Structure formats: structure tokens, C-alpha cells
Amino acid sequence: MLYDPYAIANSNAMDGLNETSTIEDINTWYDSALLAAQIVFAVLTLACVLMYVRNVKKEG
């Protein structure tokens, strides 16, 4: 195990948190930018693979 939940729960990492606290997931602008970059590169990679396969079939 990479961490000990008991140690984290009883450390300063949990200062200010109690049973009524809520944790919200926040999506920042750079999270969206990184996702968009991943999608663009995935599409470009797929296009390159398809072009390569088409070229190999045309030559052979």
C-alpha cells in the first residue's frame, strides 16, 4: 500500500475537515485545455495510422 489511511486521517492533512464537510470536484481551464490537446493528438495519430495503412496497401 502506498499510503496509510489511518495516518492520513489522524494527521494535519485533515485539519478543518469533519463529518459535515463536503469535497467538490473542480474542473479548471487547464484541465479542459489538456483534455482538448489529448483529443486533438489522438485524432492526428489515428489519421497518421490510417494514412500509413492506406499507403502500404497501395504499394503492396
Side-chain angles (χ1 to χ4, degrees):
M1 184 178 295
L2 296 175
Y3 63 92
D4 183 12
Y6 178 82
I8 292 174
N10 293 306
S11 70
N12 287 337
M14 304 305 279
D15 271 353
L17 293 179
N18 58 28
E19 60 275 352
T20 61
S21 297
T22 59
I23 298 175
E24 297 182 18
D25 188 26
I26 298 174
N27 189 18
T28 59
W29 67 268
Y30 52 84
D31 288 330
S32 300
L34 288 173
L35 178 61
Q38 288 177 338
I39 292 170
V40 167
F41 282 115
V43 170
L44 288 174
T45 301
L46 181 61
C48 289
V49 168
L50 291 175
M51 289 171 46
Y52 175 76
V53 169
R54 192 176 81 186
N55 190 26
V56 167
K57 284 185 178 182
K58 187 180 358 176
E59 288 179 359

